[in-house]
Amino acid sequence: MAEKKTILRALAGETLPVPPIWMMRQAGRYLPEYRATRAKAGDFLSLCYNPELATEVTLQPIRRFGFDAAILFADILLVPQALGADLWFVTGEGPRLSTIRNAQDMAQLRDAGDVHDTLAPIYQTLRNLTTALPPEVTLIGFAGAPWTVATYMTAGRGTPDQGPAHALKDGAPEVFDALIARLTEATIEYLSAQIEAGAEVVKLFDSWAGSLKGADFERYAVEPTRQIIAALKTRHPDTPVIAFPREAGENYVGFAKRTGADCVALDNSVAPDWAARHVQVEGCVQGNLASSHMVTGGKALVREARAIVESFSGGPHIFNLGHGITPDADPANVQLMIDTVRGG
Ligand SMILES: Cc1c2[nH]c(c1CCC(=O)O)Cc1[nH]c(c(CCC(=O)O)c1C)Cc1[nH]c(c(CCC(=O)O)c1C)Cc1[nH]c(c(C)c1CCC(=O)O)C2
C-alpha cells in the first residue's frame, strides 16, 4: 500500500519534518484560470452546481502549485439554499439570502434530511475528484458551522458585527435555537454524504465564532460543532475533522478537546508561539500566515512563513493561511510561500 498521505499523517498526530500545505480559497479569483472557468459557468453559483467545472477549478491550484490537499469547490451558503432559502450573489458585494426572523420563517424551511436533492451535484464533484486528483493529494470536504451559517440566514447577507443573529438569539431564543438545531442536523447529513462521495477530511468553517463570548461561545460555537463531530464519528470513525472557530482567541484553548476535532485551524490574530504552547499541545493545528502576505510578498512573507514553521515544528502542523486568499493576491507570492515552507 502507498504511504499514508502527509495531511492524514499530520491529522493523526504525527510531527512531520516539513508541514504539508494547502490554502483556504486556493481556487479563486486571484487565478486567471479560475476567472476563465467562472466566466464559462456564467456566475458563481452555476459554477458550484456544475460538477465538471467545479472539478476543474478544484484541480487548478493543484496543477499550478502542487498543494498537498484539494478543497471541494462549493460554498457554505449552499446548505441554506438546500433548506429552501433563496440565495444569490451580488457582484462586488457578496451573498444575499431570504431571512429567518420568526417561527413562520422557520416553518418554511425543509427538513434536514431533504437537502440531498439540491446538493447532489456537489457529491458528484467529489466523486469526480476521487479519480481526477493525484494519489498523494488529500481531498477535503467542508461545510459552514451552524452559528456562521445562521448569521447569514438571519441578516440575509454578510454583516460586520453579526447584529441580526445576536438580536434573534437574545430576542427569540426558541426560534434561533430551532434554526441552529436544523443547521446542525443538515450539516451532519451534508458532511456524511460528502464523506460517502469521497471526502477524506472534512472542515467546519465557523468564520464568525469570534463574535460569540462566554456562555454564548459554549452554546453556539462549541456545542453544535461537538454534536456534528460526534455524529460524524459514529458514522465515519476514520474521517478526521478540522474545526475553524475563526477569531476565537482564548477560546482556541481546549477547543479540540471540547468538540472532538482532530485539528484546530488558527486565524492570524493568534501568535504562533502562543498557539504552539496552548493549542498545539492538544493536537494538530493548521495555519496561520496572514493572507495579506499573498498580496505584499517579499522578505516579510519569507520571514513570517519561516517563523510559523519554526514555532509549530515540535508537533503536528498543516501550513495554511489564517483566512482565505483575496482576489488581489499575486500567484507568484503563493509560490514563494510554498518554496519557503518546503525549502526552508
Ligand atoms: C463566510 C463564507 C462564505 N463561503 C465560505 C465562508 C467561510 C470561510 C470564510 O470566512 O471565508 C467558504 C468557502 N467559499 C468558497 C470555498 C471553496 C473552497 C476554498 O477554496 O477554500 C469555501 C470553503 C468559495 C468561494 N465563495 C465565494 C467565492 C468568490 C465568488 C466569485 O468567484 O465571485 C469563492 C471562490 C463567495 C462568497 N461566499 C461567501 C461570501 C461572504 C462570499 C463573497 C465574498 C467574496 O466575494 O469573496 C460565504
Side-chain angles (χ1 to χ4, degrees):
M1 206 183 90
E3 203 180 346
K4 199 169 171 182
K5 302 179 188 188
T6 50
I7 298 257
L8 298 176
R9 288 169 63 189
L11 289 169
E14 201 177 323
T15 304
L16 298 168
V18 174
I21 178 169
W22 67 282
M23 196 172 68
M24 284 184 266
R25 292 270 173 101
Q26 61 191 20
R29 285 164 292 179
Y30 76 105
L31 288 179
E33 58 269 38
Y34 170 84
R35 295 195 297 269
T37 310
R38 188 176 156 220
K40 206 158 122 188
D43 59 47
F44 172 65
L45 282 175
S46 306
L47 178 53
C48 291
Y49 288 115
N50 181 322
E52 193 191 326
L53 297 182
T55 302
E56 167 57 23
V57 294
T58 305
L59 292 170
Q60 285 168 350
I62 306 303
R63 283 192 205 113
R64 188 191 266 257
F65 300 115
F67 283 116
D68 295 292
I71 183 159
L72 164 72
F73 190 83
D75 197 84
I76 65 165
L77 300 179
L78 304 186
V79 165
Q81 189 173 39
L83 285 170
D86 293 328
L87 171 68
W88 66 104
F89 280 79
V90 179
T91 311
E93 290 189 33
R96 296 288 184 276
L97 299 90
S98 51
T99 55
I100 303 292
R101 295 276 167 83
N102 52 45
Q104 290 74 19
D105 296 337
M106 263 312 290
Q108 302 292 314
L109 291 183
R110 289 186 199 122
D111 288 340
D114 295 341
V115 296
H116 298 300
D117 282 352
T118 305
L119 298 169
I122 309 308
Y123 311 145
Q124 185 57 46
T125 303
L126 286 163
R127 282 193 292 272
N128 293 351
L129 286 164
T130 59
T131 54
L133 278 173
E136 68 279 9
V137 178
T138 302
L139 179 55
I140 303 178
F142 73 91
W147 161 253
T148 286
V149 176
T151 67
Y152 289 93
M153 293 180 83
T154 49
R157 58 189 298 163
T159 48
D161 60 357
Q162 297 72 58
H166 285 284
L168 191 66
K169 149 176 91 55
D170 298 331
E174 65 297 339
V175 176
F176 193 73
D177 288 3
L179 177 58
I180 292 289
R182 186 73 55 89
L183 287 169
T184 299
E185 270 183 76
T187 305
I188 293 165
E189 285 289 324
Y190 183 40
L191 291 178
S192 291
Q194 287 190 28
I195 294 166
E196 282 151 29
E200 300 170 278
V201 174
V202 292
K203 177 168 173 183
L204 276 169
F205 285 86
D206 212 348
S207 304
W208 299 114
S211 81
L212 293 166
K213 303 296 172 211
D216 276 352
F217 186 87
E218 204 56 40
R219 188 175 171 103
Y220 296 112
V222 173
E223 187 54 23
T225 299
R226 191 194 64 73
Q227 288 175 15
I228 291 165
I229 294 175
L232 292 175
K233 294 286 179 188
T234 308
R235 300 190 199 181
H236 306 284
D238 299 329
T239 305
V241 181
I242 303 172
F244 183 33
R246 191 169 72 89
E247 301 204 339
E250 296 273 322
N251 279 322
Y252 272 122
V253 182
F255 195 82
K257 267 211 185 90
R258 282 183 287 159
T259 60
D262 300 276
C263 175
V264 175
L266 303 163
D267 67 82
N268 51 274
S269 71
V270 294
D273 56 345
W274 176 86
R277 277 182 281 120
H278 296 282
V279 188
Q280 196 186 28
V281 287
E282 299 171 350
C284 187
V285 292
Q286 177 178 281
N288 69 340
L289 184 67
S291 53
S292 56
H293 287 295
M294 298 300 99
V295 180
T296 54
K299 289 201 178 83
L301 186 173
V302 172
R303 194 174 55 235
E304 197 54 34
R306 281 193 183 137
I308 289 167
V309 170
E310 174 60 28
S311 296
F312 293 125
S313 61
H317 175 219
I318 298 168
F319 197 95
N320 205 309
L321 301 177
H323 199 189
I325 189 169
T326 51
D328 55 343
D330 182 347
N333 293 331
V334 175
Q335 190 62 57
L336 179 58
M337 168 182 73
I338 294 170
D339 293 345
T340 303
V341 170
R342 290 190 175 153

